[in-house]
Amino acid sequence: MFSIASLWIPFTIIAALGQVARNAMQRSLTKPLGTWGATNIRFLFGFPFSLLFLGLVLPATGDHLSAPPAVFWPWLLLGALSQIVATGLMLLAMNDRSFVVTTAYLKTEAIQTAIFGFVFLGDHLTWLKVLAIVIATIGVVITALRPGGEKSFAELKPTITGLVAAAAFALSAVGFRGAIINVPGVSFVTAASITLVLGLFVQTLVLTIYLLWRAPDVLRGILGLWRPSMLAGFIGAFASQFWFLAFALTAAANVRTLALIEVLFAQAVAYYSFKQPVAPREILGIALIVIGVAVLVGA
């Protein structure tokens, strides 16, 4: 029987599933819209759905809207802008190095989130949870790497770029959690929903202004593909809603570590849909992820 405090577990699993679906939809739109055009879809078309979610939450909880306190805004900006920066650095790293090696760098996010969460928010993590985070992260790195891929770690530029991208994703998670826990006088559901609305608004504003300035044709292309973009935006906002609900209930490091099960979902899709065999190395990595997640949830 789940208590309110442990609801972060199903919230994170739902969010991870939604993120896998959203990434697949965004990938199909990258070719016609370019990287930043496809990225802006999750914000531009997700924002109206975040308003819808908030409209459903308010009467259900009985909460009333009020202006967030001043301390809320630096955390929100940290979360929103770090996520945009992280995406750009991730794409830059992927240009310099293979996708699988970059993925290995990016999955250090869970460890970095634990560090930033402790430093900036005072999130308490037991030694057992820290061990779980390390085990699961090692499992993801082993799963992501291919034979000979470890040689790429010796190259300084993509290594630094990938690790900094992971740090920016970690700061984004900590920033959004910091914003959520600084919304006073409302339920955790409303606090998460308000933060999502304002976060998506900031991200939509920043990226739309950028595209108007640098690539107005891409923005017109986005509007021309509004039907598939609408579905991707909905799935993106849906996943983000559950990420934020999880952040409202537990340390960001717990959420980002449990989110590593996304790798298991991707492996399952590859195996069952594309009939790709699972290598012994991948089995070892998956086993470590499962062990790390089990320790985290049971701790």
Side-chain angles (χ1 to χ4, degrees), residues 257-272:
T257 301
L258 181 55
L260 295 178
I261 62 171
E262 177 187 337
V263 175
L264 305 185
F265 299 152
Q267 287 287 336
V269 169
Y271 180 77
Y272 288 106

Side-chain angles (χ1 to χ4, degrees), residues 23 25-39 41:
N23 288 345
M25 293 176 188
Q26 275 189 293
R27 189 175 295 115
S28 67
L29 293 168
T30 300
K31 186 174 181 180
L33 298 177
T35 300
W36 287 115
T39 299
I41 283 171

Side-chain angles (χ1 to χ4, degrees), residues 146-186:
R146 298 291 183 268
E150 65 276 1
K151 297 177 183 177
S152 301
F153 281 87
E155 299 181 23
L156 188 60
K157 182 182 176 183
T159 300
I160 292 176
T161 305
L163 292 176
V164 173
F169 277 122
L171 284 173
S172 175
V174 170
F176 283 133
R177 171 163 163 78
I180 291 166
I181 64 178
N182 277 292
V183 179
V186 295

Side-chain angles (χ1 to χ4, degrees), residues 37-62:
T39 299
N40 196 30
I41 283 171
R42 67 180 291 192
F43 306 135
L44 180 64
F45 288 91
F47 176 64
F49 289 108
S50 70
L51 290 172
L52 175 62
F53 298 155
L54 180 60
L56 295 173
V57 163
L58 289 177
T61 60

Side-chain angles (χ1 to χ4, degrees), residues 88-277:
L89 289 173
M90 176 185 70
L91 299 171
L92 180 61
M94 286 181 177
N95 286 335
D96 288 339
R97 186 47 49 209
S98 70
F99 175 80
V100 291
V101 174
T102 301
T103 298
Y105 297 140
L106 293 174
K107 293 310 179 182
T108 64
E109 176 198 350
I111 294 176
Q112 297 193 62
T113 301
I115 295 170
F116 292 141
F118 174 76
V119 172
F120 296 119
L121 294 175
D123 285 338
H124 176 68
L125 291 173
T126 64
W127 283 109
L128 192 59
K129 287 189 175 183
V130 171
L131 178 63
I133 292 169
V134 172
I135 291 173
T137 302
I138 292 173
V140 172
V141 171
I142 291 174
T143 305
L145 287 179
R146 298 291 183 268
E150 65 276 1
K151 297 177 183 177
S152 301
F153 281 87
E155 299 181 23
L156 188 60
K157 182 182 176 183
T159 300
I160 292 176
T161 305
L163 292 176
V164 173
F169 277 122
L171 284 173
S172 175
V174 170
F176 283 133
R177 171 163 163 78
I180 291 166
I181 64 178
N182 277 292
V183 179
V186 295
S187 66
F188 78 90
V189 179
T190 300
S193 301
I194 290 172
T195 305
L196 177 60
V197 167
L198 295 175
L200 284 176
F201 174 76
V202 169
Q203 292 170 320
T204 298
L205 186 65
V206 169
L207 269 184
T208 300
I209 290 174
Y210 173 78
L211 289 174
L212 279 172
W213 173 45
R214 297 298 300 268
D217 290 343
V218 171
L219 203 56
R220 285 191 288 270
I222 290 174
L223 297 178
L225 292 172
W226 66 270
R227 288 185 178 176
S229 298
M230 192 72 72
L231 181 58
F234 168 75
I235 297 297
F238 177 82
S240 295
Q241 179 74 30
F242 281 92
W243 286 130
F244 282 32
L245 288 172
F247 287 147
L249 293 175
T250 191
N254 291 341
V255 176
R256 299 313 297 161
T257 301
L258 181 55
L260 295 178
I261 62 171
E262 177 187 337
V263 175
L264 305 185
F265 299 152
Q267 287 287 336
V269 169
Y271 180 77
Y272 288 106
S273 297
F274 304 109
K275 308 303 180 184
Q276 296 177 357

